[in-house]
Amino acid sequence: MCLRFVASRLLKLTFLRLSLCPLDENLFREITTKLINLVVLRVENCDISDDALTGLKNIEIDASRPPLRHLKRLTELDLSNCFKVTDVSLESAFTSCSLKKLSLRNCSQITDCGLVNLAAQPESFKRSIEELNLSGCYKVTDWGLSKLLPELKRLRVLNLKGCHEVTSKTLETVKTYCPKLRYLGMSNLSDYMLDKPNLLDTLPLLKLDSDLDDDYYSNYSDGNSWNSGDS
C-alpha cells in the first residue's frame, strides 16, 4: 500500500530506492508507469523476478514491451542482490533503456548467456552504458565478457570482483576494446601482475582495484572521478 501511495502521489519523484521489498509484476508495472520522471531506480535486495522486469508473463498487457520503457529519463538502475533475476531479464528488460549505470551485483543466476543478451541490445543501450557492476556474478567467464565488452564503446567503470572464472584473458579484451575504461575491479588481479604494465601502457588512466571491499568502487563511482582529464 505504501509503494502504491508513492506511485500515485509523488509523480515528480526522480530518485527511488527500494530495499527488501516484494515486487510482483503488477506493482512494478504500476511504479514504472506512474513515476515516469525517475532518473535513478535502485531495487536492492528485493524479491523481483524476470516476470516483473520483462512483463512477459502477462500477454494481455502489451507484454512485448517491458515496464522500464516508460522511464525515458532513467540513467541508473541498481538490481543488486536480486537473486531471482536471470539471463531472461537481460534479453528483453532493457530494450527501451538508455542507461548510464547498471548494477547486477550478486545477481548470481547471471551467466555468459546473459552477457550475450546484453551484447544484442539496441545500439541506444550499448552506446549509453558507462558503468557496469557484475561483482558477485560468479558464473560469468572470459568468454561472455569477450562478447559483451566490444559492444560497450563508452564503458568507463567495470566491476568484476567475485567473478572467479574471469582471468587475464579479460585484461586482454579490456586492453583491446575498452579505450575509455578508467576503473577495473577484479578480485584476482594479483595473479596477473605480469599483465599489468602492458595494460597500463595502453590505458594509462586506468585504476586497478583488487580489494574485496567495495568501498573504493563506491567512492570512485559516486564521485564520477572518471571525468577528470577525459572528454
Side-chain angles (χ1 to χ4, degrees), residues 38-41 68 71-77 97-99:
L38 282 178
V39 176
V40 177
L41 177 57
L68 290 172
L71 305 181
K72 302 299 185 183
R73 299 179 60 193
L74 192 70
T75 61
E76 179 178 343
L77 178 63
C97 294
S98 296
L99 298 173

Side-chain angles (χ1 to χ4, degrees), residues 12 41-42 48 51 65 107 134 156 161 178 186-187:
K12 294 184 179 181
L41 177 57
R42 295 182 177 173
I48 186 171
D51 290 337
R65 304 182 66 188
C107 291
L134 295 171
R156 295 173 181 260
K161 295 179 182 180
C178 302
M186 282 178 63
S187 301

Side-chain angles (χ1 to χ4, degrees), residues 164-175:
H164 301 298
E165 299 298 320
V166 175
T167 72
S168 59
K169 292 181 180 180
T170 288
L171 297 183
E172 194 63 34
T173 302
V174 165
K175 185 177 70 172

Side-chain angles (χ1 to χ4, degrees), residues 156 174 181-184 199-200 203-208:
R156 295 173 181 260
V174 165
L181 201 67
R182 297 295 176 262
Y183 171 92
L184 174 62
L199 179 64
L200 294 182
L203 302 173
L205 297 179
L206 180 64
K207 304 295 184 183
L208 298 175

